C-alpha cells in the first residue's frame, strides 16, 4: 500500500503519463495506484502467475481475485505467451475489450564461452531454473535417479537457486546421486547449456521460458 501511495504522489508531481508495472506484485501496486486516483495510463506485463499448491496455475482464490483486479485496472496487459494470456484469471473480459497483447520474451545471444567441466562423466543432462515447486526441480531429481542406472555414462546438473534448495539436496542424497547430480547454484547458464546433450524444462507452470 505504501508503494502505491508513493507511486500516485510521484506520478502527480512529475506529470507521468504512463506507468509500466513489470510482474505480478508491481502490477498490483499499479492497480492500487489507479484505485487511489492516479491518472497515468497503466500497462502491466506478466511472465506468469502465482502457482497453486501443486505448482501449477490457477493460483488460489485470493491471488485470482488480485489478478482480476489488475486486469480491470490496467489500460493494456502484456503477456509473454498465449498460455499466460489464456490462463490469467479475469483476463478474458479484458481480452474482449482489446486490452491483452502477447509479446514473447526476447533472448539475447552472447559470445561463445569455454564449456564448463562439471563431472568426469561423458554426456550431460541439464536443468536450468529456480529451485521452486512450479519449476519441477524435484521432478528432475527423481527422473535422474530413475535413469542413472540405465545411463551409466551420463551426468546430471541443475543450474539455479531457490526455496527448495534444501529439499533438492536431501533428495539427491537419499536417491544416491552424489556422484551423478551436480547442483551448480546461481551461475551464467549459457556455457552449461552449450555443454549439455539434453536440456530439460520440467516446469509445471511456465509463462514463456527464457531457457527453452
Amino acid at each position: 500500500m505504501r508503494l502505491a501511495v508513493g507511486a500516485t504522489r510521484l506520478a502527480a508531481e512529475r506529470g507521468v503519463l504512463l506507468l509500466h508495472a513489470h510482474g505480478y506484485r508491481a502490477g498490483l501496486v499499479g492497480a492500487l495506484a489507479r484505485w487511489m486516483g492516479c491518472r497515468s495510463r497503466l500497462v502491466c506485463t506478466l511472465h506468469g502467475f502465482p502457482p497453486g499448491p501443486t505448482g501449477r496455475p490457477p493460483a488460489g482464490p485470493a491471488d485470482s481475485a488480485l489478478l482480476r483486479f489488475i486486469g480491470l485496472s490496467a489500460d493494456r496487459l502484456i503477456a509473454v505467451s498465449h498460455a499466460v494470456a489464456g490462463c490469467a484469471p479475469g483476463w478474458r473480459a479484458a481480452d474482449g475489450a482489446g486490452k491483452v497483447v502477447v509479446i514473447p520474451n526476447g533472448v539475447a545471444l552472447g559470445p561463445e564461452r569455454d564449456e564448463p567441466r562439471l563431472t568426469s562423466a561423458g554426456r550431460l543432462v541439464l536443468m536450468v531454473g529456480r529451485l521452486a515447486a512450479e519449476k519441477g526441480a524435484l521432478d528432475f531429481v527423481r527422473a535422474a535417479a530413475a535413469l542413472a542406472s540405465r545411463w551409466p555414462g551420463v551426468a546430471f546438473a541443475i543450474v539455479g537457486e531457490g526455496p527448495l534448495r534444501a529439499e533438492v539436496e536431501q533428495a539427491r542424497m537419499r536417491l544416491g546421486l552424489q556422484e551423478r547430480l551436480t547442483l551448480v547454484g546461481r551461475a551464467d547458464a549459457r556455457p552449461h547449456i552449450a555443454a549439455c546433450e539434453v536440456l530439460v524444462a520440467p516446469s509445471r507452470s511456465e509463462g514463456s521460458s527464457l531457457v527453452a
Side-chain angles (χ1 to χ4, degrees), residues 63-78:
D63 285 318
S64 296
L66 292 174
L67 282 164
R68 189 173 294 110
F69 175 52
I70 294 171
L72 292 172
S73 303
D75 294 285
R76 186 57 62 96
L77 299 161
I78 299 173

Side-chain angles (χ1 to χ4, degrees), residues 5 9 22-23 27 41 53 62 79 84-85 88 97 108 118 127 134 136 138 147 149 153 162 173:
V5 171
R9 183 183 300 118
H22 194 99
R41 293 294 186 96
V84 170
L118 296 174
M127 172 192 163
E134 65 270 22
L138 288 171
L147 294 171
S149 60
M173 298 290 290

Side-chain angles (χ1 to χ4, degrees), residues 1-22 25-43:
M1 187 67 75
R2 208 177 295 173
L3 288 174
V5 171
T8 302
R9 183 183 300 118
L10 187 64
E13 291 174 354
R14 300 194 178 183
V16 174
L17 300 178
L18 177 69
L19 291 177
H20 180 205
H22 194 99
R25 293 181 180 84
L28 183 57
V29 170
L32 285 170
R34 290 295 298 270
W35 180 73
M36 292 174 179
C38 178
R39 296 184 178 182
S40 305
R41 293 294 186 96
L42 176 62
V43 175

Side-chain angles (χ1 to χ4, degrees), residues 106-138:
V107 180
L109 299 177
E112 293 185 6
R113 303 187 180 205
D114 293 335
E115 296 183 359
R117 190 153 185 83
L118 296 174
T119 70
S120 58
R123 295 179 176 179
L124 174 65
V125 175
L126 178 71
M127 172 192 163
V128 177
R130 190 165 176 262
L131 302 185
E134 65 270 22
K135 297 297 184 179
L138 288 171

